[in-house]
Amino acid sequence: MQLGMIGLGRMGNNMTQRLMQHGHECVVYDARAESMAALEALGATASASLQDFVSKLSKPRVVWLMLPAAVVDKVLDQLVPLLDKDDILIDGGNSYYHDDIRRSGALRSKGLHYVDVGTSGGVFGLERGYCLMIGGEKPTVEHLSSIFAALAPGKGDLPITESRPKDLASTADQGFLHCGPHGAGHFVKMVHNGIEYGLMAAYAEGLNILRNADIGMREHVVDAETTPLQNPEHYQYKLDLPEIAEVWRRGSVISSWLLDLTADALYGDPGLESYEGHVSDSGEGRWTVIAAIDEAVPTPVLSAALQERFSSRGNADFANKILSAMRSEFGGHKEKPANKTAG
Amino acid sequence: MQLGMIGLGRMGNNMTQRLMQHGHECVVYDARAESMAALEALGATASASLQDFVSKLSKPRVVWLMLPAAVVDKVLDQLVPLLDKDDILIDGGNSYYHDDIRRSGALRSKGLHYVDVGTSGGVFGLERGYCLMIGGEKPTVEHLSSIFAALAPGKGDLPITESRPKDLASTADQGFLHCGPHGAGHFVKMVHNGIEYGLMAAYAEGLNILRNADIGMREHVVDAETTPLQNPEHYQYKLDLPEIAEVWRRGSVISSWLLDLTADALYGDPGLESYEGHVSDSGEGRWTVIAAIDEAVPTPVLSAALQERFSSRGNADFANKILSAMRSEFGGHKEKPANKTAG
Amino acid sequence: MQLGMIGLGRMGNNMTQRLMQHGHECVVYDARAESMAALEALGATASASLQDFVSKLSKPRVVWLMLPAAVVDKVLDQLVPLLDKDDILIDGGNSYYHDDIRRSGALRSKGLHYVDVGTSGGVFGLERGYCLMIGGEKPTVEHLSSIFAALAPGKGDLPITESRPKDLASTADQGFLHCGPHGAGHFVKMVHNGIEYGLMAAYAEGLNILRNADIGMREHVVDAETTPLQNPEHYQYKLDLPEIAEVWRRGSVISSWLLDLTADALYGDPGLESYEGHVSDSGEGRWTVIAAIDEAVPTPVLSAALQERFSSRGNADFANKILSAMRSEFGGHKEKPANKTAG
Amino acid sequence: MQLGMIGLGRMGNNMTQRLMQHGHECVVYDARAESMAALEALGATASASLQDFVSKLSKPRVVWLMLPAAVVDKVLDQLVPLLDKDDILIDGGNSYYHDDIRRSGALRSKGLHYVDVGTSGGVFGLERGYCLMIGGEKPTVEHLSSIFAALAPGKGDLPITESRPKDLASTADQGFLHCGPHGAGHFVKMVHNGIEYGLMAAYAEGLNILRNADIGMREHVVDAETTPLQNPEHYQYKLDLPEIAEVWRRGSVISSWLLDLTADALYGDPGLESYEGHVSDSGEGRWTVIAAIDEAVPTPVLSAALQERFSSRGNADFANKILSAMRSEFGGHKEKPANKTAG
């Protein structure tokens, strides 16, 4: 099948490669010409402009956008006038599903079809395949099934879930799923990322506890501003974090792909000196918590994971200063210099 | 190697089987005779009493306890007087590592060796092997290595972490690890379970958001006590939870063994009607948070996961009544009947 | 000054009374005629219809809306066509500040002025006065200052903050404040309520800990699903909650008006048997957390307080069932019946 | 009544003054002689040593300790051998109630009486009086009632709670309360401080949201690592924080003494430039959360408030680095420099 790909960053580039490996024909476009050159060498057709890109696609055209969420509408403004009735637009990036609902309505009135695809898999997707969560109209989604099948991991050697009905007419076991109408793909991907924040935080907090299990061996200040450690004899462990991550990968209840990656990062840099710990959040975590609030669904863990990221970037500083100011007001407590307890 | 196993519940029974499958000789004891019969049929030696059990073991004896944490000290009180110098006691259950520190000191003064082993793997461990986190003195731990190797999953077909030094003299890649001195095994297992609580909660909260994505299709009360749903058009999705869990298993960043199990549970009972949602906590989650507090390590996610379990058992009820009472006092707000918003 | 009040619920009724006590002339309207009768007896002018209401006000008219947030737009649709250029509309309810921004623009294009007023004080406001947070254009807000002064508590006998500049040209020390442009009043009131949720939860959680300080005196189940209480001797206190609330009112760092109300509720019904603990949230708590997310400001406490309310209404049930299902899958853990630990 | 005071820091000094103002006779001791001089000028009797201190007290002696929790046992080791049967020891500091239970038993075996007093009021207590939460045996507590009455605020002009039974034989309305047996005083004070952490955090988080309400007026980076602000037009408010704190003091539901102090701090230094925001925690907050965990009482708000303090001191840094490392592993996400979103 022929497909046009716009946006050749890390994700778009890899996905184009995987599509070509599975026999699909790819026309590509990116504002940076050098991004196209490498793919051209692998068999893709590069485009000189959006106009050129559109002209190289046969109708009904299939255009996959792999762009930062903030840029999608700008590209659509330029692209849509160049398209014809029955062409298909796929947003495979991390758009807000609100935007999918809005866009699909606007595009439908022009005779265009819109499909939203949440894509998980990261830099390993080229090799392992991408997990695809899809929203849109059934006929359009079905029309694209060979594209999705190429990008997805397929059944591979992962056993199908035992209690799954054998005769289910669904592609979930191949790694892609039509989740529902417009926006459903990005909705499910959004929650996927919200969960991801929670999982990551759980590992990170646990490893931080392990790292500080030697706190009883360190010197402690004795003053009214510092809580004395009640039982230093309970905290005399110097633990080997990469080795612990490695052993947990094997047979434990908390084994996961994220843990595999964590072990890799810890062996490479056990003190993680190459990081500062300012953690970005790219939208889905926020939107997940907002959706939960709209639904009145309690999400203490997902919310806490999101807040930690805000806090990691210094955004709690003013609140903390208020706490110090209050303590100074009522108790005459002087702030102590930034002397970490935990390491 | 010969090993005596005390406590033949779900875990002890399976571990004994796995040990025998790997050629170890097992003497077993359990207060319930019927628990021993099945293992006897598979080749284990049953015991009529603790005395009998001890007499059947050759010195230096190796005794593995697989008991509820609250029972270990009682059994030790009866068992220890029957043992001889240089015998080895292994606590493979979920004991508090404080108890390991205390016990190992008391036993050392009697010439006995103590090893604490945190064991993860659940009911699947018989087949998959158990992840073992071990605390104790190096010579004793090394003496037991064939036992640990039999219980652990081994290298299997899981690739070793890429950045792991090739020449590391460690058994982490076989699924068991000597983590440190007395208590270190249960300390690491404790944090493992704390992380497990966080992971489980992340999936559970996310799936609850997905389940309520149809809230805009339901009827809403309009009164001053109920927040109006701002945008019902954003919540029109009836999502298929088992299918979503299945697709996430394949290639997504959040794939994990816990997710595999969740998919299985959801296909079997999509509405989870067979559960009430009163979630026990068996100690490690609490101890993890307490350790974090002692270390002054922030654990918002692990704490929240623990609190959710308390709350699931109705333990927030009195606090909630106070909130209702306050609202009645300052605003004359009448409580609404228990009409859930989310489903 | 003459003012028209629409919406004579608990708040609108009391505010009208307070305005009249301070010499203002009030025309009132409510769909329920009986709500107007009582105020008429106190000197207000009742209206037969919205048309009648508008006709009784002299131009430029001042109309105060005291309505549930979900109803304001419907009433405005009927009211606005009846008004004339330069009339002033005040929304004193708990509207979302997004709506203020939208409405003020729409009304401005018709020559009408809009003021948003966040009103705190509850059922005690009639006597104590209301704290008013005001958003809008400066001339309009100044035009209404006698209205605000009547509703607000005034300086009273509460000392002015010591470090406050003596010559500040502001009304904050009288209990009303022009916070900023359209929406600023409701924005500040929204955050006020978000804080209120946090304060209430802090007291409620603390009192729940006190109530369960006798847990060591209660019987405990011993099984693998129940964490044993490590030190029952530490939890042997039967505490008198109303008395503790009373003593905290006097000289403690946590004294507050909310605590005064809590003491009153606890003396009246120490076990709070008359409440079920299903706690509503009327919007501002949600909007506060959403604003914090948009701003990337960490709000772990305010978020947790909101989530607790969702949870109090049973909305965590499905997530909890997932936890039970997972535990059953990996460990064969059977759910225990709903036997609360804490009382 | 005669009372000996050991420990003349901020609290001990002020309390001694207040006792003398109410006609009590005070013998004082502090390792720093200069701390005694000022009180001597006001009528106190200074001591050259602990021996001297004890010799100046008439039997049965009443000794009040006002010391950092970590020092109490050391002082008791020196002091107790100097005392006689029936002497009374009062720990008025912030000791862990576990220590009270232990100490009271040890002292009882020597014929000494022990009373634990949780003291709230901070630096304002000298003038306003201290809220006292008392644990111990009834006769001893009653023997000391004139001491407690002098330190407490008394009924003052704060109305007694309306629903309080008129004939209650209790001193709660005077600002001191016998809460229960040994440890009950510090237990209640501990929870008091836990609540205090929650209250402080609620105000601090809310004010941080207000401070960042102008985020829509600031410039934003556009890249895949930064969530775009959806609606900048909703965040165009430059709010005056001290004025808002001042207006909330008057008639609002969230008025409190902590808010009075916050207003004072904000007027004095609106940007709180004189603080760094490294917030100490002096023990009670931790112990409160640990007690809640033992009781299985959910405390999401109190826990979050505690975690925020840990985090303010940099103790989440390693966990945050793990998050950055994971993101780098799975997505090739590069960390962004520490560019705060919120101000």
Side-chain angles (χ1 to χ4, degrees), chain C residues 129-149:
Chain C
Y130 300 90
C131 176
L132 303 178
M133 297 144 262
I134 306 162
E137 292 154 352
K138 202 173 174 192
T140 319
V141 173
E142 287 182 346
H143 176 71
L144 299 168
S145 66
S146 69
I147 297 285
F148 298 138

Side-chain angles (χ1 to χ4, degrees), chain A residues 161 163 170 182 237 243 246 264, chain B residues 161 163 170 237 243 246 264:
Chain A
T161 297
S163 64
S170 141
H182 296 301
Y237 302 121
E243 286 280 274
E246 181 69 21
D264 193 58
Chain B
T161 296
S163 63
S170 141
Y237 302 120
E243 286 280 275
E246 181 69 22
D264 192 57

